Amino acid sequence: MSLVYSEDDRMLADTAEEFLLSKSPVAAQRTLRDSKSALNFDNDVWQQMVELGWTAITFPEKLGGLEFGYKGLGAVFESMGKHLTASPLLSSVVLCGSLLEQLANDSQLEWLNHIISGEKRLALAIDEKARHEPFNFQTEAVDVADGFVLSGKKVMVMDGLSADGWVVSAKHKEGVSLFIVPFSEDVIVKRTNLVDSRNYAELTFNELTLPVNALLGNPGDSIDAINHSLDLGRLCLSSEILGASKALFDMTVEYLKTREQFGVKIGTFQALQHRAANCYVELELAQSCVIAALSNADDTKSDLGLSASLAKCQVSKAADLITREAIQMHGGIGVTDELDIGLYLKRIRVAQMSLGDADFHQARYGELKNKM
Amino acid sequence: MVDLEEFRIQVREWLEDNCPESLRTPTPDGELIWGGKTPNFTFDDQRLWFERMRDKNWFCPTWAKEYGGAGLSSKENSVLESEMRKLKCRPPQINLGIWMLGPVLLKHGTEQQKQQFLKPMARGEVRWCQGFSEPNAGSDLASLRTSAQDMGDHYLVNGSKIWTSYGDKSDFMYALVRTDPAAPKHQGISLLLLDMHSDGVKTAPIHLISGKSSFCEVFFDNVKVPKDNLVGELNGGWQLAKELLQHERSAMSKFGEFQLPTHFDLMSLFNDYMPAPHTPSEQSLFYKAVEADMQEHAYNLTVQRLTQEMQAGINNFGLMSIMKLVHTEQEIIKFELLLDAMGYRALGWEDNNFTEQEQAINRAWLNSFSQAIAGGSSEVQLNIIAKRVLQLPENKGAQT
Ligand SMILES: Cc1cc2nc3c(=O)[nH]c(=O)nc-3n(C[C@H](O)[C@H](O)[C@H](O)COP(=O)(O)OP(=O)(O)OC[C@H]3O[C@@H](n4cnc5c(N)ncnc54)[C@H](O)[C@@H]3O)c2cc1C
C-alpha cells in the first residue's frame, strides 16, 4: 500500500491547484454565497472540470474513463477543499457514477456516459434522518404490472436541486434496492439551505410510477454496492476536509507570526505554540489515514470500510480541533465574516456531518473490527 | 430586615400578579429588551413588564434607593433571582451599563455622577456600550491609543474603538482613553463617559459569522466630552478597568441565562432531537452529553458556592477568576455535542423549513465561539489564574 502520491498524482494535484486558484478561489465561493445562486455551484467552472477530465479519473477505460485511481482524485478533492470549491464531483461522479459502474446494465450505462461527459448530473438520495443512517429508511418501492411505484421522502440530497435525475434507495419486498429516477415534475423538490451555502434538496415521491428499467442492479441486492460507493464518497469528502483544514491551519500559523500584542508576536506565547503544534500532529495523523484509504480504494477493496471510517473519523476530529483553534487564535477578528475562517468553519461542519460524522464512523470502525 | 421566608412569599405573590403570562417562557432570539432611549418592545406585555419592574426599582435591586435601586441585601437579591427563575420570568431588560459600569460608579463616582448617570441607568433610560478594545489593543488592552486631550473646560477625544458591542445602538459609552501619552502604558489611561450622540462620533457595523452584526467600529473625530465625565482619578483608569472587566466576566458567566438557547439544558434537548438513543453512535454521543452535563452541574454548584462565599464575606478572587473561562468553554462543547445530535437539522441557514428553535441553536452555536474571546479571551483568563491567583513567576521576555 503506497502512502505517498505518485509523480502522476502530483501532476494532477498541481493542475488542480493552478486551475482552482485562478477559476475558483475562496473569494468566488463568497460571491456565490452572496449572490444566492439557484445552483449553488458555478456551472462554467464545473464544465471546465469536465474538460480537464476530472469526471473520468477513476473509471476504467472501457467505460470511457482514465483509469487513474482514487489517489489522484483525492488530490483533486484536497485542492477543492483548500479553495472551498463547490461542484457536483462528489454527488454525481463519485457516488452515483460508482454505483452505475457497479450495477448498471447496458442501457443504464448511458447515464454514466452522460455523467462523464458532463451533459447530465445524477444525485444520490439515501438519507431520511437528521443524522446519516444509510440503511434506516421508509421509502418503499412496490411492484406493479410494468414496473414499480415509489413512495417516500429523502433529505440532504447533495446537489439534488436541478439534477437530471436521482439514484434513490428504497425498501422492496426483496430487500434494499436502488432506482434511477429521471427528473420529473411529479417529484417534489424542496431546497434546503445549509450554512455552507451548497446545493441540498429534500425529495418527496408520492406514488411515483417507474418503468422496469429504473431498477439498478438486482432487487434486494444492493447493500454492498451502496456501502462501497458511500465509502468512496467518504474518502473524497475526507480529502476535501483535509484540504480545508490545512488551508485554515496555514492561515492561523501565518496569523501567529504576524499579529502583535504585548509588544511581541502572539506566536511567541508558548501556550499558543503548543496548541498549534498539536494541531499539526493531528493533521499529519489524519493525512496518513486519508491517503491509506485512497490507496486502499485503488489496490484491494477488501477492507475499504474500515479504512474509510478511520479516515472520515480522524479527519473530522482534526478538522473540528483546527476550526476551533483557528477562531480562538484569531481573537475578535476570527468571528467576523470579513475573514474566510467562517466560510471554512461552515463548510467543514457540514462536510464532517455528511455521510457519517466522527461518532458514526467510530462506531462503524468498532463493528467492522469486531467482525475481523 | 424582613424575614427571608416572608420576603420570598411577598416576591412570589408580586411576580405572579405582575409578570405577564406571555413573558414566562425563554426569551426567543430577537425578543431581548435592551434598556435605552427607545427600548425595542415588539408587543405590549413587554412594555408592561418593563414598567412594572422599573417602578419596583428591580432593574438594580441591590443598589441604594437614592440611586434608583431597591436597597435589597445580597440574600434578598438571591431570593428574587431564584423566584424569577422558578416562574421562568424573562429579564425585563438588559443593559451593559448596569452590570459593568454601575458597580464602578457606585464605588468611585462623584455624588454628581451618581445622580446624573446611575438613576437613568436604573430606570432603563440609557443604553451603554463599552469602548475598550482597539485594533492594536485587544488582549493587550493597556496599549490603547485613543486620546483625550485636556482643553481646559473639556476633553477632546480622537481615535477609534473596535468590536464595540451595540455601539451603533447605544446612547453612552464608557471608554478607556489615553490621557498621558508620556507615562508608562498602564499609568496614562483614564475612564471617560462619552455621549454617543455627540458631534464627531461615527459607527460602522461589523458582520459576524453568525450572520448578525452586533458589534461595530467607532470613530472619534474631535469629540468634546465634559470634564465632569471623568470617572475616578485622572490617569487612574487602569485600576477601574480591571474592576470593570471583573464585573463583565461575572455578567458574562450569567448572561447566557437570558438568551435562548445558551445555558440550555443539553440533556433535555438531546431528548428532543435524539430520543431513545439506539445505535452505537447515538449511545456514544449520549454519554458525551452526560459528561458535559456533569461538568455543567459542577459549574452550577460552583456558582452557588461563589454567591454564598460572597455573602459570607469570604475573599474569593481565585474562584471568581475561573467562572467566565469555565462557562464559555463549556458552552462551546455543549453546542458541538448538540450539533452532533441534531445532524443537518442544526445546520440550516436562513431557511424557514427549519424550526425557530433549530435556527436559534444554529446562531447560538456560531455565537458560542465569540464568548471565549470577548471580555478577555480564555488564554487571558488562564494567564490571570496563573499569575494573579497562583502567582507563578513571569516570563521576562514578554511584558504582559
Ligand atoms: C462578540 C464580541 C464582543 C465584544 N464586545 C466588546 C465590547 O463591547 N467592547 C470592547 O471594548 N471590546 C469588545 N470585544 C473585544 C474583545 O475584548 C477582544 O476581542 C479580546 O480582548 C481579544 O482581543 P483581540 O481580538 O485583539 O485578540 P488578540 O489580543 O489579538 O488575541 C489573538 C489571540 O492571541 C491570544 N493571546 C493574546 N495574548 C496572549 C498571551 N499573553 N498569552 C497567550 N495567548 C495570548 C488570544 O487569547 C487570542 O487567542 C468583543 C469581542 C467579541 C468577540
Side-chain angles (χ1 to χ4, degrees):
Chain A
M1 179 171 61
S2 154
L3 297 179
V4 288
Y5 287 127
S6 69
E7 190 72 15
D8 286 348
D9 294 333
R10 256 178 295 156
M11 268 168 59
L12 185 55
D14 290 346
T15 323
E17 185 57 28
E18 208 177 302
F19 170 75
L20 294 172
L21 190 62
S22 75
K23 294 288 160 43
S24 179
V26 178
Q29 318 310 324
R30 185 183 282 275
T31 313
L32 208 55
R33 175 194 76 173
D34 295 342
S35 68
K36 302 209 154 81
S37 97
L39 211 50
N40 291 64
F41 61 83
D42 183 333
N43 201 38
D44 288 342
V45 171
W46 170 234
Q47 289 306 326
Q48 290 174 62
M49 291 180 179
V50 174
E51 278 162 36
L52 285 169
W54 293 359
T55 50
I57 291 176
T58 59
F59 300 109
E61 277 173 20
K62 65 175 194 301
L63 294 178
L66 299 170
E67 239 175 283
F68 202 85
Y70 276 90
K71 216 137 95 221
L73 189 63
V76 169
F77 269 98
E78 197 176 318
S79 208
M80 295 208 300
K82 178 175 172 188
H83 299 287
L84 292 178
T85 307
S87 88
L89 197 56
L90 178 69
S91 56
S92 186
V93 177
V94 179
L95 292 170
C96 295
S98 67
L99 279 171
L100 291 168
E101 182 189 346
Q102 294 182 82
L103 302 172
N105 58 34
D106 285 348
S107 69
Q108 289 166 337
L109 277 177
E110 268 304 288
W111 277 104
L112 186 58
N113 287 335
H114 292 318
I115 284 177
I116 294 177
S117 71
E119 281 162 73
K120 287 188 178 166
R121 292 196 292 113
L122 284 179
L124 180 62
I126 220 160
D127 280 313
E128 297 185 12
K129 298 264 178 297
R131 305 181 73 234
H132 180 62
E133 277 187 73
F135 299 108
N136 182 359
F137 53 79
Q138 303 303 319
T139 297
E140 202 171 13
V142 179
D143 289 341
V144 288
D146 46 1
F148 308 91
V149 171
L150 185 70
S151 301
K153 190 168 123 180
K154 296 286 180 181
V155 301
M156 270 298 286
V157 181
M158 288 188 245
D159 303 314
L161 303 170
S162 318
D164 299 291
W166 305 276
V167 176
V168 184
S169 61
K171 285 199 263 193
H172 177 268
K173 67 177 197 306
E174 303 287 335
V176 174
S177 305
L178 288 170
F179 297 87
I180 304 177
V181 179
F183 176 84
S184 142
E185 297 290 345
D186 295 335
V187 179
I188 301 166
V189 184
K190 204 153 100 185
R191 169 181 288 273
T192 304
N193 290 318
L194 298 188
V195 289
D196 66 350
S197 331
R198 295 207 176 177
N199 178 321
Y200 300 98
E202 188 183 289
L203 306 180
T204 310
F205 311 100
N206 288 325
E207 301 190 358
L208 182 75
T209 42
L210 295 171
V212 175
N213 201 33
L215 179 70
L216 187 59
N218 296 321
D221 190 23
S222 31
I223 290 187
D224 289 347
I226 292 176
N227 271 327
H228 184 67
S229 287
L230 286 176
D231 280 332
L232 294 172
R234 287 160 183 153
L235 302 183
C236 294
L237 207 47
S238 298
S239 301
E240 185 192 336
I241 298 172
L242 182 69
S245 307
K246 280 186 182 173
L248 195 50
F249 181 59
D250 288 348
M251 281 165 56
T252 307
V253 171
E254 197 46 43
Y255 195 70
L256 294 178
K257 291 177 184 168
T258 46
R259 170 73 172 168
E260 288 188 13
Q261 286 288 273
F262 303 102
V264 295
K265 307 277 189 236
I266 58 172
T268 59
F269 300 128
Q270 208 165 55
L272 301 187
Q273 287 178 347
H274 283 188
R275 276 162 40 201
N278 241 334
C279 289
Y280 174 78
V281 169
E282 293 303 325
L283 259 183
E284 288 298 328
L285 293 176
Q287 162 128 15
S288 308
C289 301
V290 172
I291 201 156
L294 291 169
S295 225
N296 241 330
D298 290 331
D299 308 343
T300 64
K301 300 197 161 129
S302 56
D303 58 352
L304 188 59
L306 194 76
S307 62
S309 280
L310 177 69
K312 186 74 176 22
C313 179
Q314 296 301 103
V315 83
S316 295
K317 283 197 203 163
D320 271 352
L321 174 72
I322 284 160
T323 44
R324 167 86 179 87
E325 291 289 27
I327 296 175
Q328 184 67 24
M329 291 187 190
H330 276 80
I333 202 165
V335 295
T336 65
D337 189 51
E338 199 177 313
L339 259 61
D340 293 331
I341 295 180
L343 299 178
Y344 281 96
L345 163 77
K346 289 168 184 171
R347 173 57 194 154
I348 286 175
R349 225 331 161 165
V350 179
Q352 64 101 322
M353 181 253 335
S354 304
L355 306 183
D357 62 10
D359 290 290
F360 174 93
H361 287 292
Q362 182 176 323
R364 182 164 177 256
Y365 179 95
E367 284 162 26
L368 293 171
K369 201 90 206 209
N370 248 341
K371 281 191 212 144
M372 284 171 91
Chain B
M1 187 178 104
V2 197
D3 172 65
L4 266 191
E5 267 324 294
E6 202 165 305
F7 180 69
R8 184 183 295 278
I9 293 164
Q10 287 170 9
V11 167
R12 184 175 317 161
E13 272 175 10
W14 189 87
L15 290 173
E16 271 167 0
D17 293 345
N18 288 280
C19 181
E21 281 295 336
S22 63
L23 297 183
R24 298 191 196 179
T25 53
T27 316
D29 213 35
E31 283 190 17
L32 217 52
I33 300 299
W34 293 85
K37 278 203 174 119
T38 44
N40 51 323
F41 302 120
T42 45
F43 51 96
D44 219 48
D45 277 355
Q46 292 175 319
R47 176 194 309 280
L48 215 61
W49 178 226
F50 178 94
E51 288 172 356
R52 285 174 180 168
M53 285 292 277
R54 177 193 66 198
D55 296 341
K56 195 86 181 151
N57 289 355
W58 277 355
F59 287 168
C60 308
T62 59
W63 292 9
K65 289 194 171 131
E66 67 231 77
Y67 305 130
L72 299 193
S73 70
S74 160
K75 284 192 176 146
E76 287 167 332
N77 189 40
S78 297
V79 169
L80 172 59
E81 282 180 358
S82 87
E83 288 306 313
M84 282 182 68
R85 216 170 299 137
K86 268 188 222 153
L87 281 185
K88 300 203 170 74
C89 307
R90 291 190 196 174
Q93 65 129 24
I94 53 170
N95 195 323
L96 302 188
I98 292 177
W99 293 333
M100 303 175 205
L101 178 63
V104 170
L105 272 186
L106 276 169
K107 196 162 154 203
H108 303 278
T110 61
E111 190 51 38
Q112 189 212 324
Q113 284 171 339
K114 291 182 193 172
Q115 293 295 340
Q116 186 184 343
F117 294 109
L118 289 181
K119 273 191 171 161
M121 199 186 284
R123 294 183 55 78
E125 290 166 358
V126 179
R127 184 158 175 183
W128 286 84
C129 64
Q130 168 165 313
F132 284 13
S133 308
E134 296 180 10
N136 290 310
S139 301
D140 180 15
L141 184 56
S143 59
L144 61 93
R145 280 194 284 229
T146 295
S147 68
Q149 210 185 337
D150 190 340
M151 304 301 280
D153 62 339
H154 64 269
Y155 291 108
L156 204 58
V157 176
N158 279 291
S160 69
K161 294 288 174 184
I162 198 166
W163 323 128
T164 315
S165 297
Y166 307 105
D168 49 348
K169 298 199 176 73
S170 293
D171 305 309
F172 259 87
M173 169 188 274
Y174 48 96
L176 289 178
V177 291
R178 187 151 302 282
T179 36
D180 184 354
K185 68 178 183 180
H186 294 98
Q187 287 157 32
I189 295 171
S190 301
L191 183 63
L192 265 193
L193 308 180
L194 188 151
D195 187 339
M196 293 293 281
H197 307 292
S198 318
D199 285 344
V201 178
K202 252 202 232 130
T203 61
I206 304 172
H207 294 280
L208 286 163
I209 55 176
S210 59
K212 286 201 216 161
S213 84
S214 61
F215 57 24
C216 57
E217 278 183 275
V218 182
F219 304 95
F220 310 107
D221 180 19
N222 287 325
V223 178
K224 286 186 186 176
V225 178
K227 289 192 96 168
D228 288 344
N229 288 12
L230 174 79
V231 184
E233 302 277 310
L234 181 68
N235 297 323
W238 186 247
Q239 193 48 45
L240 301 185
K242 280 205 284 191
E243 275 181 37
L244 214 143
L245 285 171
Q246 195 61 53
H247 297 303
E248 173 175 20
R249 284 158 197 164
S250 18
M252 275 181 75
S253 51
K254 239 161 87 171
F255 185 64
E257 283 180 35
F258 303 139
Q259 216 164 6
L260 176 100
T262 40
H263 251 280
F264 58 87
D265 182 352
L266 185 63
M267 299 307 289
S268 88
L269 282 172
F270 252 65
N271 201 32
D272 291 350
Y273 290 100
M274 218 179 68
H278 66 284
T279 66
S281 105
E282 286 181 353
Q283 272 161 4
S284 120
L285 249 179
F286 174 78
Y287 284 108
K288 286 189 208 165
V290 172
E291 184 184 352
D293 192 69
M294 291 170 80
Q295 292 282 71
E296 189 183 20
H297 197 152
Y299 168 78
N300 286 335
L301 288 171
T302 312
V303 172
Q304 282 178 31
R305 179 161 72 91
L306 179 70
T307 316
Q308 290 180 22
E309 285 192 0
M310 289 203 319
Q311 284 164 357
I314 297 169
N315 175 354
N316 50 11
F317 175 73
L319 195 51
M320 249 151 71
S321 60
I322 73 170
M323 304 309 280
K324 189 248 172 188
L325 171 77
V326 173
H327 175 65
T328 57
E329 293 291 324
Q330 285 189 355
E331 289 292 295
I332 290 176
I333 292 170
K334 282 166 62 191
F335 274 110
E336 290 297 323
L337 291 170
L338 181 57
L339 256 69
D340 287 341
M342 289 171 67
Y344 86 98
R345 299 305 299 176
L347 295 172
W349 186 258
E350 294 174 359
D351 182 340
N352 289 330
N353 295 312
F354 292 87
T355 67
E356 246 177 60
Q357 175 164 289
E358 287 166 343
Q359 296 184 52
I361 287 171
N362 181 270
R363 281 187 295 264
W365 159 62
L366 289 166
N367 200 40
S368 69
F369 299 107
S370 304
Q371 303 307 309
I373 295 165
S377 65
S378 294
E379 291 75 12
V380 165
Q381 306 306 316
L382 288 164
N383 280 344
I384 290 174
I385 297 169
K387 284 186 202 159
R388 294 204 219 147
V389 181
L390 305 178
Q391 307 202 329
L392 295 174
E394 290 259 347
N395 173 351
K396 299 229 171 55
Q399 278 120 51
T400 51

